[in-house]
Amino acid sequence: MRIFTASLATESNSFSPIPTARKDFESTIYFPPGTHPDRATHCTAPLYVARRRARQEGFELIEGSCFWAEPSAPVATADYESMRDEILDQLRAALPVDGVLLGLHGAMLAYGYDDCEGDLLERARALVGPEAVIGVELDPHCHLTEKRVRLADVIVLYKEYPHTDFVERAEELVTLALASIRGEIKPVMSLYDCRMDDLFPTTREPGRSFVERMKGLEGRDGVLSVSLGHGFTQGDVPEHGTRVLVVTNDAKATGDRLATELGEEVRAKRGTWRPPYLDAGEAIDLVYGRAWDGPVVVADPSDNAGGGAASDNTNVIRLLLDRGVADAAVGPIWDPAAVAICHAAGVGAQVTLRFGGKAAPTSGVPVDAEATVIGLARDGVQSFGSAKVSFGDAAGIRVGGVDVSLISHRSQALGTEIFSAVGIDLATKRYVGVKSTNHFHAAYAPIAAEVLYCDGGGPSPLDSRKYPFRRIARPLWPHDDLPEGRLLV
Ligand SMILES: [Zn+2]
Protein backbone atom coordinates (compact mmCIF):
# COMPACT_ATOMS: atom_id res chain seq x y z
CA MET A 1 0.00 0.00 0.00
CA ARG A 2 1.37 3.41 -1.03
CA ILE A 3 -0.03 6.66 0.33
CA PHE A 4 0.94 10.22 -0.55
CA THR A 5 0.50 13.07 1.92
CA ALA A 6 0.97 16.84 1.81
CA SER A 7 -0.43 20.04 3.23
CA LEU A 8 -1.37 23.42 1.78
CA ALA A 9 -3.19 25.74 4.10
CA THR A 10 -4.08 29.22 5.13
CA GLU A 11 -7.30 31.06 5.99
CA SER A 12 -7.92 33.90 3.57
CA ASN A 13 -9.63 37.05 4.79
CA SER A 14 -11.18 38.87 1.83
CA PHE A 15 -11.05 42.12 3.82
CA SER A 16 -7.49 41.87 5.18
CA PRO A 17 -5.05 44.69 4.31
CA ILE A 18 -2.07 42.30 4.45
CA PRO A 19 -1.12 40.50 1.24
CA THR A 20 -0.18 36.79 1.20
CA ALA A 21 2.71 35.54 -0.91
CA ARG A 22 4.65 32.29 -1.07
CA LYS A 23 7.34 33.87 1.11
CA ASP A 24 4.77 34.21 3.92
CA PHE A 25 4.31 30.45 3.85
CA GLU A 26 8.06 29.87 3.68
CA SER A 27 8.66 32.10 6.71
CA THR A 28 5.93 30.37 8.74
CA ILE A 29 5.64 26.69 7.84
CA TYR A 30 7.33 25.20 4.81
CA PHE A 31 8.50 21.62 5.07
CA PRO A 32 9.67 20.15 1.76
CA PRO A 33 9.66 16.32 1.54
CA GLY A 34 11.44 14.62 4.41
CA THR A 35 11.91 17.77 6.51
CA HIS A 36 8.68 17.70 8.52
CA PRO A 37 9.53 17.55 12.25
CA ASP A 38 8.24 14.67 14.33
CA ARG A 39 5.44 16.69 15.89
CA ALA A 40 2.13 17.87 14.54
CA THR A 41 1.24 21.36 13.52
CA HIS A 42 -2.43 22.00 12.80
CA CYS A 43 -2.72 21.42 9.13
CA THR A 44 0.05 18.85 8.89
CA ALA A 45 -1.53 16.48 11.42
CA PRO A 46 -2.45 13.92 8.70
CA LEU A 47 1.24 13.62 7.74
CA TYR A 48 2.35 13.35 11.35
CA VAL A 49 -0.22 10.66 12.14
CA ALA A 50 0.28 8.76 8.87
CA ARG A 51 4.04 8.65 9.44
CA ARG A 52 3.53 6.78 12.70
CA ARG A 53 0.81 4.55 11.28
CA ALA A 54 3.03 3.67 8.31
CA ARG A 55 5.70 2.40 10.69
CA GLN A 56 3.16 0.45 12.75
CA GLU A 57 1.09 -0.97 9.90
CA GLY A 58 3.73 -1.39 7.22
CA PHE A 59 2.52 0.80 4.36
CA GLU A 60 4.69 3.15 2.37
CA LEU A 61 4.16 6.87 2.99
CA ILE A 62 5.42 9.35 0.43
CA GLU A 63 5.74 12.77 2.06
CA GLY A 64 5.09 15.85 -0.03
CA SER A 65 5.56 19.51 0.85
CA CYS A 66 3.66 21.19 3.68
CA PHE A 67 2.76 24.88 3.63
CA TRP A 68 1.00 27.14 6.14
CA ALA A 69 0.81 30.94 6.35
CA GLU A 70 -0.76 33.12 9.02
CA PRO A 71 -4.21 34.24 7.79
CA SER A 72 -4.30 37.40 5.69
CA ALA A 73 -5.62 38.45 2.28
CA PRO A 74 -6.11 35.99 -0.63
CA VAL A 75 -2.87 34.47 -1.96
CA ALA A 76 -1.13 35.91 -5.00
CA THR A 77 -2.22 33.77 -7.97
CA ALA A 78 1.21 32.66 -9.22
CA ASP A 79 2.31 31.87 -5.66
CA TYR A 80 -0.73 29.68 -5.00
CA GLU A 81 -0.16 27.88 -8.30
CA SER A 82 3.53 27.32 -7.55
CA MET A 83 2.75 25.67 -4.19
CA ARG A 84 -0.14 23.65 -5.65
CA ASP A 85 1.99 22.48 -8.56
CA GLU A 86 4.91 21.60 -6.29
CA ILE A 87 2.60 19.21 -4.45
CA LEU A 88 1.03 17.86 -7.65
CA ASP A 89 4.47 17.25 -9.21
CA GLN A 90 5.43 15.26 -6.11
CA LEU A 91 2.18 13.31 -6.32
CA ARG A 92 2.78 12.59 -10.02
CA ALA A 93 6.26 11.30 -9.22
CA ALA A 94 4.83 9.08 -6.46
CA LEU A 95 2.28 7.31 -8.71
CA PRO A 96 0.78 4.78 -8.50
CA VAL A 97 -0.72 5.40 -5.07
CA ASP A 98 -3.62 3.78 -3.22
CA GLY A 99 -4.44 6.86 -1.24
CA VAL A 100 -3.82 10.57 -0.71
CA LEU A 101 -4.04 12.31 2.65
CA LEU A 102 -4.22 16.09 2.58
CA GLY A 103 -4.02 18.47 5.51
CA LEU A 104 -5.82 21.58 4.27
CA HIS A 105 -7.50 24.47 6.02
CA GLY A 106 -10.50 24.95 3.81
CA ALA A 107 -10.77 28.74 3.62
CA MET A 108 -7.81 29.41 1.35
CA LEU A 109 -8.48 31.83 -1.50
CA ALA A 110 -6.21 33.02 -4.28
CA TYR A 111 -6.93 35.74 -6.80
CA GLY A 112 -8.93 33.91 -9.46
CA TYR A 113 -9.61 30.92 -7.16
CA ASP A 114 -12.64 30.89 -4.82
CA ASP A 115 -11.97 27.31 -3.78
CA CYS A 116 -8.25 26.50 -3.71
CA GLU A 117 -8.90 23.21 -1.92
CA GLY A 118 -11.47 22.15 -4.54
CA ASP A 119 -9.00 23.07 -7.28
CA LEU A 120 -6.20 21.05 -5.66
CA LEU A 121 -8.54 18.09 -5.13
CA GLU A 122 -9.72 18.19 -8.74
CA ARG A 123 -6.16 18.05 -10.04
CA ALA A 124 -5.12 15.41 -7.52
CA ARG A 125 -8.11 13.26 -8.45
CA ALA A 126 -7.24 13.56 -12.14
CA LEU A 127 -3.76 12.22 -11.36
CA VAL A 128 -4.63 9.34 -9.03
CA GLY A 129 -7.81 8.17 -10.78
CA PRO A 130 -11.24 7.29 -9.40
CA GLU A 131 -10.13 4.24 -7.38
CA ALA A 132 -7.57 5.87 -5.11
CA VAL A 133 -8.92 7.02 -1.73
CA ILE A 134 -8.57 10.72 -1.02
CA GLY A 135 -8.87 11.77 2.63
CA VAL A 136 -8.86 15.38 3.77
CA GLU A 137 -8.67 17.04 7.18
CA LEU A 138 -10.08 20.57 7.37
CA ASP A 139 -10.40 23.35 9.90
CA PRO A 140 -14.08 23.95 10.78
CA HIS A 141 -13.63 27.58 9.65
CA CYS A 142 -13.77 26.38 6.08
CA HIS A 143 -16.01 26.91 3.07
CA LEU A 144 -17.19 23.30 2.84
CA THR A 145 -17.90 23.35 -0.87
CA GLU A 146 -19.94 20.84 -2.77
CA LYS A 147 -17.01 20.33 -5.17
CA ARG A 148 -14.69 19.10 -2.40
CA VAL A 149 -17.28 16.74 -1.00
CA ARG A 150 -17.81 15.24 -4.46
CA LEU A 151 -14.08 14.87 -5.16
CA ALA A 152 -12.84 13.47 -1.83
CA ASP A 153 -13.76 10.11 -0.29
CA VAL A 154 -13.52 11.12 3.36
CA ILE A 155 -13.42 14.58 4.92
CA VAL A 156 -12.99 15.07 8.67
CA LEU A 157 -13.05 18.48 10.37
CA TYR A 158 -11.70 19.44 13.77
CA LYS A 159 -14.62 19.49 16.20
CA GLU A 160 -13.18 21.73 18.90
CA TYR A 161 -12.90 25.51 18.83
CA PRO A 162 -10.21 26.23 20.11
CA HIS A 163 -8.87 23.57 17.72
CA THR A 164 -7.15 21.38 20.28
CA ASP A 165 -8.23 18.12 18.61
CA PHE A 166 -6.39 18.30 15.28
CA VAL A 167 -4.33 15.16 16.03
CA GLU A 168 -7.35 13.12 17.21
CA ARG A 169 -9.30 14.04 14.09
CA ALA A 170 -6.30 13.20 11.90
CA GLU A 171 -6.16 9.79 13.57
CA GLU A 172 -9.81 9.25 12.62
CA LEU A 173 -9.18 10.42 9.07
CA VAL A 174 -6.22 8.08 8.61
CA THR A 175 -8.17 5.18 10.16
CA LEU A 176 -11.11 5.73 7.79
CA ALA A 177 -8.87 6.16 4.73
CA LEU A 178 -6.91 2.99 5.51
CA ALA A 179 -10.10 0.99 6.11
CA SER A 180 -11.45 2.26 2.82
CA ILE A 181 -8.29 1.32 0.90
CA ARG A 182 -8.46 -2.14 2.46
CA GLY A 183 -12.06 -2.48 1.31
CA GLU A 184 -13.42 -2.74 4.85
CA ILE A 185 -15.69 0.30 4.48
CA LYS A 186 -17.24 2.34 1.67
CA PRO A 187 -17.48 5.95 2.85
CA VAL A 188 -20.26 8.14 1.43
CA MET A 189 -20.80 11.74 2.40
CA SER A 190 -23.92 13.85 2.97
CA LEU A 191 -23.68 17.66 3.10
CA TYR A 192 -26.36 19.96 4.48
CA ASP A 193 -26.27 23.72 3.93
CA CYS A 194 -27.70 25.63 6.92
CA ARG A 195 -27.95 28.91 4.92
CA MET A 196 -26.53 30.87 7.86
CA ASP A 197 -23.29 32.19 9.27
CA ASP A 198 -22.38 32.12 12.95
CA LEU A 199 -19.51 31.67 15.39
CA PHE A 200 -19.35 28.36 17.28
CA PRO A 201 -16.99 28.31 20.27
CA THR A 202 -17.06 24.88 21.88
CA THR A 203 -15.90 26.23 25.24
CA ARG A 204 -19.49 27.27 26.05
CA GLU A 205 -23.04 26.06 25.44
CA PRO A 206 -24.62 25.09 23.17
CA GLY A 207 -21.37 24.38 21.26
CA ARG A 208 -19.95 22.15 23.99
CA SER A 209 -22.94 19.79 23.98
CA PHE A 210 -23.09 19.77 20.20
CA VAL A 211 -19.52 18.42 20.02
CA GLU A 212 -20.44 15.63 22.43
CA ARG A 213 -23.58 14.92 20.42
CA MET A 214 -21.57 14.59 17.18
CA LYS A 215 -19.09 12.25 18.85
CA GLY A 216 -21.92 10.18 20.32
CA LEU A 217 -23.39 9.56 16.87
CA GLU A 218 -20.15 8.17 15.43
CA GLY A 219 -19.32 4.50 15.33
CA ARG A 220 -22.90 3.19 15.22
CA ASP A 221 -25.75 2.80 12.73
CA GLY A 222 -23.21 3.01 9.93
CA VAL A 223 -22.16 6.57 10.88
CA LEU A 224 -18.40 6.96 10.48
CA SER A 225 -17.87 10.67 11.10
CA VAL A 226 -19.88 13.83 11.80
CA SER A 227 -18.51 17.35 11.32
CA LEU A 228 -19.82 20.89 11.64
CA GLY A 229 -18.36 23.28 9.09
CA HIS A 230 -18.65 26.57 10.93
CA GLY A 231 -17.74 28.59 7.83
CA PHE A 232 -15.29 31.47 7.77
CA THR A 233 -16.96 34.83 8.27
CA GLN A 234 -14.28 36.92 6.53
CA GLY A 235 -14.28 34.89 3.30
CA ASP A 236 -16.33 36.64 0.61
CA VAL A 237 -17.12 33.63 -1.57
CA PRO A 238 -20.41 32.22 -2.88
CA GLU A 239 -20.33 29.04 -0.75
CA HIS A 240 -19.92 30.96 2.50
CA GLY A 241 -21.70 29.68 5.59
CA THR A 242 -22.39 26.86 8.01
CA ARG A 243 -22.72 23.27 6.78
CA VAL A 244 -23.06 19.82 8.34
CA LEU A 245 -21.12 16.87 6.92
CA VAL A 246 -21.92 13.25 7.72
CA VAL A 247 -19.83 10.32 6.50
CA THR A 248 -21.52 6.92 6.57
CA ASN A 249 -20.50 3.43 5.59
CA ASP A 250 -22.50 3.19 2.36
CA ALA A 251 -25.68 4.41 4.09
CA LYS A 252 -26.53 7.53 2.11
CA ALA A 253 -30.14 7.75 3.32
CA THR A 254 -29.02 7.61 6.96
CA GLY A 255 -26.37 10.26 6.30
CA ASP A 256 -28.84 12.54 4.53
CA ARG A 257 -31.35 12.22 7.35
CA LEU A 258 -28.76 12.86 10.05
CA ALA A 259 -27.11 15.80 8.26
CA THR A 260 -30.52 17.39 7.82
CA GLU A 261 -31.53 16.78 11.43
CA LEU A 262 -28.27 18.24 12.80
CA GLY A 263 -28.39 21.13 10.37
CA GLU A 264 -31.90 22.02 11.50
CA GLU A 265 -30.72 21.91 15.12
CA VAL A 266 -27.89 24.33 14.31
CA ARG A 267 -30.34 26.64 12.56
CA ALA A 268 -32.81 26.58 15.44
CA LYS A 269 -30.06 27.73 17.83
CA ARG A 270 -28.71 30.48 15.56
CA GLY A 271 -27.54 33.52 17.45
CA THR A 272 -27.04 31.58 20.70
CA TRP A 273 -23.75 29.87 19.73
CA ARG A 274 -21.55 32.96 20.01
CA PRO A 275 -20.56 34.56 23.30
CA PRO A 276 -22.05 37.93 24.22
CA TYR A 277 -19.55 40.71 23.62
CA LEU A 278 -19.18 44.11 25.19
CA ASP A 279 -18.11 47.49 23.98
CA ALA A 280 -14.37 47.84 24.87
CA GLY A 281 -15.10 50.61 27.40
CA GLU A 282 -17.85 48.54 29.05
CA ALA A 283 -15.42 45.65 29.44
CA ILE A 284 -12.86 47.90 31.18
CA ASP A 285 -15.58 49.30 33.47
CA LEU A 286 -16.64 45.78 34.37
CA VAL A 287 -13.08 44.62 35.14
CA TYR A 288 -12.21 47.64 37.29
CA GLY A 289 -15.66 48.12 38.78
CA ARG A 290 -15.57 45.22 41.24
CA ALA A 291 -13.25 42.72 42.93
CA TRP A 292 -12.19 39.58 41.07
CA ASP A 293 -10.51 36.46 42.26
CA GLY A 294 -7.67 36.71 39.73
CA PRO A 295 -7.03 38.21 36.29
CA VAL A 296 -9.96 38.89 33.98
CA VAL A 297 -9.10 37.89 30.42
CA VAL A 298 -10.75 40.14 27.83
CA ALA A 299 -10.52 38.90 24.27
CA ASP A 300 -10.75 41.29 21.35
CA PRO A 301 -11.79 39.16 18.35
CA SER A 302 -11.95 42.25 16.13
CA ASP A 303 -8.15 42.35 15.84
CA ASN A 304 -7.42 38.62 15.66
CA ALA A 305 -4.36 37.88 13.51
CA GLY A 306 -5.64 34.30 13.36
CA GLY A 307 -8.50 35.55 11.21
CA GLY A 308 -6.43 37.88 9.04
CA ALA A 309 -6.41 41.10 11.10
CA ALA A 310 -3.15 43.01 11.53
CA SER A 311 -3.17 42.73 15.34
CA ASP A 312 -1.84 46.26 15.74
CA ASN A 313 -5.06 48.08 16.68
CA THR A 314 -4.44 50.40 19.62
CA ASN A 315 -8.00 51.32 20.68
CA VAL A 316 -8.09 49.16 23.82
CA ILE A 317 -4.61 50.28 24.95
CA ARG A 318 -5.61 53.92 24.49
CA LEU A 319 -8.74 53.44 26.56
CA LEU A 320 -6.75 51.79 29.37
CA LEU A 321 -4.12 54.56 29.31
CA ASP A 322 -6.75 57.33 29.20
CA ARG A 323 -8.42 55.88 32.28
CA GLY A 324 -5.10 55.59 34.13
CA VAL A 325 -5.71 52.00 35.16
CA ALA A 326 -3.16 49.83 36.98
CA ASP A 327 -2.20 46.19 36.44
CA ALA A 328 -3.27 45.78 32.84
CA ALA A 329 -1.57 43.75 30.10
CA VAL A 330 -2.45 43.69 26.40
CA GLY A 331 -1.04 41.63 23.56
CA PRO A 332 0.08 40.84 21.08
CA ILE A 333 0.67 44.04 19.13
CA TRP A 334 2.36 43.28 15.80
CA ASP A 335 5.04 45.93 15.31
CA PRO A 336 8.43 44.69 14.05
CA ALA A 337 9.93 48.20 14.04
CA ALA A 338 9.04 48.87 17.67
CA VAL A 339 10.42 45.44 18.63
CA ALA A 340 13.73 46.26 16.91
CA ILE A 341 13.99 49.57 18.81
CA CYS A 342 13.37 47.81 22.14
CA HIS A 343 15.99 45.16 21.34
CA ALA A 344 18.51 47.85 20.49
CA ALA A 345 17.73 49.71 23.72
CA GLY A 346 17.88 46.68 26.01
CA VAL A 347 15.98 45.57 29.10
CA GLY A 348 15.52 48.35 31.63
CA ALA A 349 15.87 51.12 29.06
CA GLN A 350 13.43 54.02 28.93
CA VAL A 351 12.47 54.71 25.34
CA THR A 352 10.29 57.25 23.62
CA LEU A 353 8.40 54.80 21.51
CA ARG A 354 5.74 54.94 18.82
CA PHE A 355 3.97 51.57 18.57
CA GLY A 356 0.92 49.97 16.95
CA GLY A 357 -1.65 51.64 14.72
CA LYS A 358 0.27 51.27 11.47
CA ALA A 359 -1.00 48.57 9.12
CA ALA A 360 -4.38 49.93 8.05
CA PRO A 361 -7.03 52.55 8.82
CA THR A 362 -8.64 49.91 11.09
CA SER A 363 -5.45 49.82 13.19
CA GLY A 364 -6.37 53.03 15.01
CA VAL A 365 -3.57 55.55 15.55
CA PRO A 366 -0.09 54.79 16.91
CA VAL A 367 0.60 55.22 20.62
CA ASP A 368 3.44 57.64 21.44
CA ALA A 369 4.69 56.89 24.93
CA GLU A 370 7.54 56.92 27.38
CA ALA A 371 8.00 53.18 27.71
CA THR A 372 10.21 50.98 29.86
CA VAL A 373 11.53 47.84 28.22
CA ILE A 374 10.73 45.08 30.72
CA GLY A 375 11.63 41.97 28.72
CA LEU A 376 12.97 40.78 25.39
CA ALA A 377 12.71 37.48 23.50
CA ARG A 378 14.44 36.13 20.40
CA ASP A 379 12.47 33.77 18.13
CA GLY A 380 9.61 33.51 20.57
CA VAL A 381 7.42 30.40 20.45
CA GLN A 382 3.99 29.84 22.01
CA SER A 383 2.21 26.57 22.65
CA PHE A 384 -1.17 25.58 21.24
CA GLY A 385 -2.01 22.01 22.16
CA SER A 386 0.99 20.04 20.94
CA ALA A 387 1.78 22.67 18.28
CA LYS A 388 4.49 25.31 18.66
CA VAL A 389 3.71 28.62 16.98
CA SER A 390 6.30 31.33 16.32
CA PHE A 391 5.80 34.97 17.27
CA GLY A 392 9.33 35.99 16.31
CA ASP A 393 11.44 38.48 18.22
CA ALA A 394 9.38 40.23 20.86
CA ALA A 395 9.51 42.90 23.53
CA GLY A 396 7.57 43.65 26.70
CA ILE A 397 7.08 47.31 27.51
CA ARG A 398 5.48 49.14 30.43
CA VAL A 399 3.55 52.32 29.75
CA GLY A 400 1.96 53.68 32.91
CA GLY A 401 -0.12 50.84 34.33
CA VAL A 402 -0.28 48.92 31.06
CA ASP A 403 2.19 46.24 29.98
CA VAL A 404 2.20 45.53 26.25
CA SER A 405 3.60 42.54 24.39
CA LEU A 406 5.05 43.62 21.04
CA ILE A 407 5.81 40.90 18.48
CA SER A 408 7.53 40.81 15.10
CA HIS A 409 5.94 37.70 13.51
CA ARG A 410 2.19 38.30 13.28
CA SER A 411 0.22 35.83 15.37
CA GLN A 412 -2.80 35.77 17.67
CA ALA A 413 -2.59 35.07 21.40
CA LEU A 414 -2.55 31.27 21.72
CA GLY A 415 -0.19 30.45 24.61
CA THR A 416 0.63 32.65 27.59
CA GLU A 417 4.28 32.73 26.42
CA ILE A 418 3.32 35.83 24.40
CA PHE A 419 3.50 37.61 27.76
CA SER A 420 5.75 35.48 29.97
CA ALA A 421 8.60 35.42 27.43
CA VAL A 422 8.87 39.21 27.61
CA GLY A 423 8.74 39.71 31.35
CA ILE A 424 5.00 40.19 31.83
CA ASP A 425 3.61 38.24 34.79
CA LEU A 426 -0.10 37.67 34.13
CA ALA A 427 -0.77 36.42 37.66
CA THR A 428 -0.26 39.97 38.96
CA LYS A 429 -2.65 41.54 36.44
CA ARG A 430 -6.25 42.55 36.75
CA TYR A 431 -7.00 43.15 33.04
CA VAL A 432 -5.44 40.79 30.49
CA GLY A 433 -6.37 41.85 26.95
CA VAL A 434 -5.73 39.26 24.23
CA LYS A 435 -6.15 39.63 20.50
CA SER A 436 -7.84 36.37 19.54
CA THR A 437 -11.37 35.16 18.82
CA ASN A 438 -11.42 31.93 20.81
CA HIS A 439 -8.13 29.99 20.45
CA PHE A 440 -6.77 31.90 23.45
CA HIS A 441 -9.33 30.13 25.60
CA ALA A 442 -7.37 26.87 25.91
CA ALA A 443 -4.36 28.47 27.65
CA TYR A 444 -5.94 31.57 29.20
CA ALA A 445 -9.19 30.30 30.74
CA PRO A 446 -7.24 28.26 33.35
CA ILE A 447 -5.55 31.43 34.68
CA ALA A 448 -8.66 33.63 34.45
CA ALA A 449 -11.18 34.56 37.12
CA GLU A 450 -13.49 35.42 34.21
CA VAL A 451 -13.33 35.49 30.42
CA LEU A 452 -15.00 38.37 28.58
CA TYR A 453 -15.23 39.31 24.90
CA CYS A 454 -15.17 42.86 23.61
CA ASP A 455 -15.26 44.68 20.29
CA GLY A 456 -12.07 46.71 20.15
CA GLY A 457 -12.98 48.33 16.84
CA GLY A 458 -10.49 46.33 14.77
CA PRO A 459 -11.03 45.11 11.22
CA SER A 460 -12.77 41.81 12.10
CA PRO A 461 -15.89 42.46 14.19
CA LEU A 462 -17.89 39.45 15.35
CA ASP A 463 -21.02 40.90 13.75
CA SER A 464 -20.79 39.64 10.18
CA ARG A 465 -23.30 42.23 8.98
CA LYS A 466 -20.56 44.86 9.32
CA TYR A 467 -18.51 43.45 6.39
CA PRO A 468 -18.89 44.77 2.84
CA PHE A 469 -19.74 41.40 1.26
CA ARG A 470 -20.23 41.37 -2.49
CA ARG A 471 -20.11 37.72 -3.46
CA ILE A 472 -21.75 35.53 -0.82
CA ALA A 473 -24.86 33.70 -2.01
CA ARG A 474 -27.94 35.37 -0.55
CA PRO A 475 -30.30 35.04 1.16
CA LEU A 476 -28.17 34.05 4.15
CA TRP A 477 -28.87 34.61 7.84
CA PRO A 478 -28.06 37.03 9.59
CA HIS A 479 -27.85 39.21 6.50
CA ASP A 480 -31.39 38.16 5.54
CA ASP A 481 -34.30 36.34 7.15
CA LEU A 482 -33.42 32.68 7.59
CA PRO A 483 -34.03 30.89 4.28
CA GLU A 484 -34.75 27.15 3.97
CA GLY A 485 -31.81 24.82 4.61
CA ARG A 486 -30.94 22.35 1.88
CA LEU A 487 -29.17 19.05 1.31
CA LEU A 488 -26.40 19.65 -1.24
CA VAL A 489 -24.79 16.23 -1.56
ZN1 LIG B 1 -10.32 27.64 12.63
Side-chain angles (χ1 to χ4, degrees), residues 11 139 141 163:
E11 184 182 65
D139 185 294
H141 299 112
H163 307 326

Side-chain angles (χ1 to χ4, degrees), residues 198-488:
D198 213 334
L199 188 82
F200 301 86
T202 58
T203 41
R204 65 189 299 279
E205 293 297 353
R208 186 69 248 136
S209 295
F210 196 77
V211 169
E212 300 311 323
R213 177 152 152 68
M214 288 193 285
K215 287 182 177 173
L217 292 163
E218 293 172 341
R220 53 196 179 86
D221 303 328
V223 178
L224 300 173
S225 176
V226 181
S227 294
L228 177 65
H230 303 188
F232 180 55
T233 296
Q234 291 87 5
D236 190 9
V237 289
E239 288 191 69
H240 167 113
T242 305
R243 295 180 172 187
V244 175
L245 180 71
V246 175
V247 189
T248 60
N249 185 10
D250 202 15
K252 184 76 171 90
T254 302
D256 290 355
R257 198 164 52 243
L258 187 55
T260 304
E261 183 189 321
L262 292 170
E264 288 303 319
E265 190 177 321
V266 169
R267 285 158 52 84
K269 291 177 179 161
R270 69 191 179 282
T272 70
W273 302 93
R274 68 180 53 215
Y277 56 98
L278 304 163
D279 169 81
E282 285 170 358
I284 294 169
D285 290 344
L286 191 55
V287 173
Y288 286 95
R290 49 157 283 197
W292 298 91
D293 191 20
V296 179
V297 172
V298 185
D300 176 10
S302 79
D303 199 24
N304 173 23
S311 196
D312 74 339
N313 180 288
T314 54
N315 294 351
V316 170
I317 292 172
R318 288 184 162 281
L319 282 172
L320 291 164
L321 291 173
D322 287 349
R323 294 181 189 204
V325 303
D327 302 327
V330 177
I333 292 279
W334 175 56
D335 192 333
V339 170
I341 289 169
C342 294
H343 272 261
V347 174
Q350 304 266 347
V351 286
T352 303
L353 189 68
R354 170 168 286 197
F355 66 92
K358 296 190 179 92
T362 47
S363 299
V365 289
V367 178
D368 291 311
E370 296 302 313
T372 305
V373 180
I374 56 175
L376 297 169
R378 287 279 180 207
D379 298 322
V381 170
Q382 54 179 335
S383 307
F384 187 50
S386 60
K388 300 291 178 195
V389 180
S390 166
F391 55 89
D393 292 348
I397 56 169
R398 180 160 297 155
V399 181
V402 184
D403 291 358
V404 180
S405 165
L406 304 170
I407 63 170
S408 58
H409 187 98
R410 202 170 54 88
S411 177
Q412 67 179 301
L414 297 168
T416 52
E417 298 97 327
I418 284 268
F419 294 99
S420 62
V422 292
I424 300 172
D425 179 8
L426 295 182
T428 65
K429 301 303 177 195
R430 186 176 178 101
Y431 182 105
V432 175
V434 291
K435 291 175 182 288
S436 173
T437 301
N438 207 50
H439 285 334
F440 74 93
H441 204 283
Y444 286 83
I447 64 149
E450 181 67 65
V451 174
L452 304 174
Y453 298 79
C454 78
D455 184 349
S460 303
L462 284 182
D463 184 347
S464 60
R465 290 169 298 185
K466 292 185 176 174
Y467 296 90
F469 288 109
R470 292 185 301 119
R471 307 195 48 234
I472 59 176
R474 305 280 290 266
L476 186 87
W477 186 89
H479 308 280
D480 308 289
D481 291 341
L482 184 71
E484 291 287 303
R486 59 192 184 200
L487 195 69
L488 296 176

Side-chain angles (χ1 to χ4, degrees), residues 43-313:
C43 294
T44 67
L47 180 150
Y48 166 76
V49 169
R51 191 186 267 178
R52 180 166 38 76
R53 299 283 288 270
R55 283 196 297 266
Q56 288 167 353
E57 300 179 35
F59 61 86
E60 187 178 353
L61 185 73
I62 301 99
E63 297 184 6
S65 294
C66 296
F67 298 92
W68 160 261
E70 195 64 37
S72 43
V75 183
T77 307
D79 289 3
Y80 162 63
E81 290 170 348
S82 84
M83 294 183 285
R84 175 198 69 192
D85 293 347
E86 179 173 322
I87 289 171
L88 292 170
D89 287 347
Q90 293 161 349
L91 174 56
R92 193 177 291 108
L95 295 175
V97 296
D98 303 288
V100 177
L101 295 168
L102 296 172
L104 308 176
H105 178 286
M108 180 175 183
L109 313 178
Y111 294 104
Y113 294 92
D114 278 345
D115 182 2
C116 292
E117 293 81 358
D119 175 57
L120 175 64
L121 281 169
E122 187 169 42
R123 291 164 193 272
R125 177 60 81 192
L127 287 175
V128 301
E131 299 305 317
V133 172
I134 299 182
V136 180
E137 188 180 34
L138 295 176
D139 185 294
H141 299 112
C142 62
H143 311 294
L144 196 47
T145 67
E146 199 174 325
K147 181 176 183 178
R148 295 174 203 178
V149 174
R150 293 193 187 282
L151 285 163
D153 295 280
V154 190
I155 298 176
V156 174
L157 277 57
Y158 319 145
K159 285 186 172 64
E160 300 288 349
Y161 180 35
H163 307 326
T164 49
D165 61 332
F166 52 98
V167 175
E168 289 165 76
R169 302 288 86 80
E171 290 279 3
E172 292 167 4
L173 174 73
V174 174
T175 298
L176 292 175
L178 290 173
S180 182
I181 292 169
R182 291 174 180 136
E184 296 159 5
I185 57 169
K186 184 173 183 291
V188 256
M189 294 195 277
S190 300
L191 180 67
Y192 189 80
D193 181 355
C194 298
R195 301 306 305 144
M196 57 176 274
D197 172 47
D198 213 334
L199 188 82
F200 301 86
T202 58
T203 41
R204 65 189 299 279
E205 293 297 353
R208 186 69 248 136
S209 295
F210 196 77
V211 169
E212 300 311 323
R213 177 152 152 68
M214 288 193 285
K215 287 182 177 173
L217 292 163
E218 293 172 341
R220 53 196 179 86
D221 303 328
V223 178
L224 300 173
S225 176
V226 181
S227 294
L228 177 65
H230 303 188
F232 180 55
T233 296
Q234 291 87 5
D236 190 9
V237 289
E239 288 191 69
H240 167 113
T242 305
R243 295 180 172 187
V244 175
L245 180 71
V246 175
V247 189
T248 60
N249 185 10
D250 202 15
K252 184 76 171 90
T254 302
D256 290 355
R257 198 164 52 243
L258 187 55
T260 304
E261 183 189 321
L262 292 170
E264 288 303 319
E265 190 177 321
V266 169
R267 285 158 52 84
K269 291 177 179 161
R270 69 191 179 282
T272 70
W273 302 93
R274 68 180 53 215
Y277 56 98
L278 304 163
D279 169 81
E282 285 170 358
I284 294 169
D285 290 344
L286 191 55
V287 173
Y288 286 95
R290 49 157 283 197
W292 298 91
D293 191 20
V296 179
V297 172
V298 185
D300 176 10
S302 79
D303 199 24
N304 173 23
S311 196
D312 74 339
N313 180 288

Side-chain angles (χ1 to χ4, degrees), residues 29-48:
I29 284 182
Y30 175 44
F31 300 128
T35 64
H36 194 289
D38 205 22
R39 60 181 162 76
T41 64
H42 270 105
C43 294
T44 67
L47 180 150
Y48 166 76

